[in-house]
Amino acid sequence: MENKISKVSLLWVIIMVGFMAHIAVDILPAFWGANIAMPDSTGEASMSMIMFMMSMAFFVPMCGLLCMNYRKFKVMRVINLVLATVMMLFNFFHTSELFMEFNPVQLIILLVMLVLGVYLFVYSLRMVKQKD
């Protein structure tokens, strides 16, 4: 079981790093003078969207990592599985947004994030099914 746990923890960390890379790639064109603002932006940030993205990029993975610290309790492994399911679904829907606005650089990052989300779900499911 220890091998699976280290894989799950590592996947949570890599997903957090992937979100940082995803954000950095969006910001990089600004260093060459490109306007990176959304086309219909009004200059006011949507607090709900900022909170949602902060939750998905930091809060959910951090809670998953904390669940791995208390993995001897089955409820923590189940919570981790629920969080992994949420992350996998989010990565799937976020990747599908590329059909509306294609970006080859984001395609690479989002496909990796999607694969990581699936692996995270599979390993988390195996952990829940294992006997203590």
Side-chain angles (χ1 to χ4, degrees), residues 65-80:
L65 280 170
L66 287 173
C67 286
M68 290 296 92
N69 283 334
Y70 299 100
R71 63 190 170 266
K72 66 180 178 178
F73 303 109
K74 183 161 182 152
V75 68
M76 289 298 176
R77 294 192 305 266
V78 171
I79 291 171
N80 178 69

Side-chain angles (χ1 to χ4, degrees), residues 21-38:
H22 177 53
I23 293 165
V25 166
D26 278 341
I27 295 172
L28 280 176
F31 291 103
W32 287 276
N35 182 5
I36 60 172
M38 295 172 65

Side-chain angles (χ1 to χ4, degrees), residues 1-35:
M1 189 163 157
E2 288 300 317
N3 189 23
K4 296 278 187 293
I5 290 161
S6 63
K7 286 180 184 178
V8 171
S9 296
L10 180 62
L11 285 170
W12 279 121
V13 171
I14 293 172
I15 284 174
M16 290 175 78
V17 171
F19 278 119
M20 287 187 283
H22 177 53
I23 293 165
V25 166
D26 278 341
I27 295 172
L28 280 176
F31 291 103
W32 287 276
N35 182 5

